[in-house]
């Protein structure tokens, strides 16, 4: 890499760690401050953190590729996200502020008892460790594609570890550096550091995207008019697809219905998101943050898709000789198009900025959420809450570091032993576990008779059905949450009709 690009990237990494660690100075010595920021976080910071949390490095480089090879129909899913957010504000947000919650799964404990609460928490901890560990690995792939395209980078990587493939070397190094940096600022700064780092990351990767888009537009003769005319002629701005098929993604129906259920689950029942709302002062702040974040996400995805259209116009009309660089077996690898433009057409310094923006999208930390879940749903009940708060704060920090090491180990395992396609397959598992958990929340919210055993049966059957749907049917992943939540809800309710209330009450009391 060129010296200026390296300096910018490392300045960003070091700055992130120092920025996050700075919050340890202003922390009060209470566990609740470490996890919910003393309920003092402004709504706009929560909003930015929500947007940053649902944006990954893959979003940064892959969504432009979606429009490059396709069109704007992906936005139908994002419209579904808006309706899902509305459902969360109406159904779940009022529940979050009844009492002092540290995790969303405490609501399940109040309704069904500790067994269901621990089961839901365990699902969250496992799927989040796998998902975020694999995302470290996938971010490493993105960074390696960008870095290896720079002069001299491959030789440098070979000099570090001669026995390893240069790509694997850079992936491993990226996983390690990003993982350690995330542990440091999460460990010292708590949720304050996580949210304010998210705010900063959002600004960095949006600036990077706008700068890259501006330079790209300047390289297209005819500018915006050329992009609009050529893109329209190629059907790139097609937005609606009313095809009725549960095997096809990005249709009006899978986007609106499937996207709404997906967001209701991820933003309404997942600790990673709900913890951010709990940092606000009131339900009003949580609603405002959640709804405005939907508008920002819609605009953000529209920007990335428009970059994809500009890339299409540029490479098909003015740089067609370069398309061989992102062809694999004669087919376009969509996630290579934007990285190729970054390293070959952006000036020195700007390359470092955009690579920092890609890394920024990977720095959203789930470690504090995992620590909160472990403490609130397992350790506090186990110890009866009788130890001093300083003890629980220390345990919270140690658990933050522990889960960070788990995620780094998961990312390293994926780099050594799993293919990219296998990782993508495993990441889909999170979609159907979200559906199962949403089904349990629906049982707790909309029914009275369903108790612990019935809920557990709903979880088991719902997970089994989703495993079948995932691995033995062609159903699009955009329907997973809908199928999982409905199956869990219906099975749990039917089970409650045949299981004695006495047995369920005994389980709940355990």
């Amino acid at each position: 890499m060129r010296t200026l690009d390296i300096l910018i990237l490392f300045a960003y990494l070091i700055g992130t760690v120092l920025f996050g660690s700075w919050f340890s100075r202003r922390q009060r010595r209470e566990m609740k401050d470490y996890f919910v920021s003393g309920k003092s976080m402004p709504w706009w910071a929560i909003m930015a953190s929500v947007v940053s949390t649902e944006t990954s490095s893959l979003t940064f480089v892959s969504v432009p590729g979606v429009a490059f090879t396709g069109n704007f129909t992906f936005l139908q899913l994002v419209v579904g996200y808006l309706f899902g957010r509305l459902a969360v504000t109406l159904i779940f947000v009022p529940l979050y502020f009844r009492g002092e919650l540290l995790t969303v799964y405490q609501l399940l404990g109040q309704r069904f008892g500790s067994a269901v609460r621990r089961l839901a928490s365990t699902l969250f901890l496992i799927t989040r460790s796998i998902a975020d560990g694999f995302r470290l690995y996938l971010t490493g792939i993105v960074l390696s594609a960008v870095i290896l395209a720079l002069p001299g980078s491959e030789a440098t990587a070979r000099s570090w570890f001669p026995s390893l493939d240069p790509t694997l070397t850079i992936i491993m190094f990226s996983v390690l550096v990003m993982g350690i940096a995330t542990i440091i600022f999460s460990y010292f700064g708590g949720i304050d550091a996580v949210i304010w780092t998210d705010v900063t990351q959002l600004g960095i990767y949006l600036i990077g995207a706008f700068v890259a888009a501006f330079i790209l537009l300047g390289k297209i003769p005819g500018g915006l008019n050329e992009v609009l005319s050529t893109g329209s002629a190629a059907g790139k701005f097609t937005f609606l697809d009313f095809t009725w098929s549960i095997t096809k993604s990005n249709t009006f129906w899978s986007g609106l219905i499937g996207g709404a259920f997906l967001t209701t689950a991820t933003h309404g029942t997942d600790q990673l998101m709900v913890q951010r709302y709990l940092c606000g002062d009131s339900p009003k702040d949580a609603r405002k943050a959640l709804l405005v974040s939907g508008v920002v996400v819609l605009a953000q995805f529209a920007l990335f898709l428009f970059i994809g259209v500009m890339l299409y116009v540029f490479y098909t009309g003015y740089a067609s000789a370069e398309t061989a660089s992102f062809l694999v077996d004669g087919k376009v690898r969509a996630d290579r198009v934007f990285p190729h433009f970054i390293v070959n057409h952006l000036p020195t310094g700007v390359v470092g900025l955009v690579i920092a923006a890609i890394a920024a999208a990977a720095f959203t930390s789930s470690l504090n959420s995992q620590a909160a879940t472990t403490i609130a749903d397992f350790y506090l009940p186990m110890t009866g809450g009788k130890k001093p708060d300083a003890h629980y704060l220390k345990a919270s920090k140690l658990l933050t570091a522990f889960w960070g090491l788990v995620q780094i180990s998961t990312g390293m395992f994926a780099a050594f032993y799993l293919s990219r396609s296998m990782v993508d397959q495993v990441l889909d598992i999170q979609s159907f576990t979200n559906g199962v958990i949403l089904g349990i929340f629906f049982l707790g919210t909309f029914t009275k008779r369903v108790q612990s055993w019935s809920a557990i049966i709903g979880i088991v059957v719902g997970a089994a059905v989703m495993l079948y749907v995932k691995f033995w049917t062609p159903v699009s992943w955009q329907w997973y949450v809908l199928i999982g939540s409905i199956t869990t809800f219906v099975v749990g309710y039917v089970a409650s009709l045949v299981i004695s209330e006495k047995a369920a009450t005994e389980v709940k009391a355990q």
Side-chain angles (χ1 to χ4, degrees), residues 73-82 239 250-251 254-256 258-260 262-263 477-478:
T73 53
F74 180 81
L75 276 186
Q76 294 169 114
L77 181 66
V78 186
V79 172
Y81 291 172
L82 296 176
F239 171 51
N250 299 331
T251 68
S254 66
L256 189 65
L262 174 62
T263 297
W477 67 270
Q478 294 177 359

Side-chain angles (χ1 to χ4, degrees), residues 37-234:
S37 187
K39 304 278 187 181
S40 61
M41 196 64 63
W43 73 268
W44 57 267
I46 297 172
M47 177 276 295
S49 181
V50 169
V51 175
S52 184
T53 299
E54 60 185 306
T55 304
S56 68
S57 301
L58 293 177
T59 302
F60 195 98
V61 299
S62 296
V63 174
V66 170
F68 184 91
T69 57
N71 49 42
F72 265 54
T73 53
F74 180 81
L75 276 186
Q76 294 169 114
L77 181 66
V78 186
V79 172
Y81 291 172
L82 296 176
F83 285 94
R85 281 168 160 83
L86 183 60
V88 172
T89 62
L90 295 175
I91 299 171
F92 295 126
V93 167
L95 302 177
Y96 302 150
F97 292 87
R98 294 178 185 173
E100 295 290 328
L101 295 182
L102 290 180
T103 75
V104 68
Y105 309 115
Q106 289 175 276
L107 291 174
L108 295 179
Q110 296 168 7
R111 175 64 175 81
F112 295 114
S114 58
V116 173
R117 173 184 175 181
R118 288 195 297 265
L119 182 55
S121 300
T122 300
L123 284 175
F124 166 74
L125 291 171
I126 293 174
T127 56
R128 182 52 56 189
S129 294
I130 294 173
D132 285 4
F134 283 5
R135 285 195 177 98
L136 282 175
Y137 159 64
L138 293 174
T139 301
I141 291 178
V142 172
L143 290 174
S144 69
V146 176
I147 293 172
L148 285 174
L150 297 172
S153 57
E154 183 172 345
T156 301
R158 288 189 186 279
S159 68
W160 289 350
F161 296 99
S163 61
L164 293 180
D165 180 85
T167 300
L168 181 59
T169 298
I170 294 176
I171 291 173
M172 289 172 52
F173 182 73
S174 299
V175 168
L176 189 62
V177 170
M178 289 186 296
I180 291 175
T182 304
I183 289 173
I184 292 173
F185 76 74
S186 300
Y187 179 96
F188 288 107
I191 193 64
D192 277 346
V194 171
I195 289 180
W196 286 114
T197 301
D198 283 347
V199 174
T200 305
Q201 315 300 29
L202 177 62
I204 290 173
Y205 73 69
L206 286 180
I207 290 172
F210 275 114
V211 169
F214 180 79
I215 294 174
L216 172 57
L217 187 62
K219 290 181 175 290
I220 298 174
L224 183 60
N225 289 333
E226 174 69 8
V227 173
L228 294 176
S229 61
T230 303
S232 297

Side-chain angles (χ1 to χ4, degrees), residues 226-249:
E226 174 69 8
V227 173
L228 294 176
S229 61
T230 303
S232 297
K236 292 298 176 181
F237 297 110
T238 300
F239 171 51
L240 297 175
D241 179 356
F242 290 101
T243 303
W244 176 253
S245 172
I246 63 172
T247 63
K248 183 179 180 181
S249 299

Side-chain angles (χ1 to χ4, degrees), residues 51 149 162 272 349 359 461:
V51 175
L272 182 64
V461 175

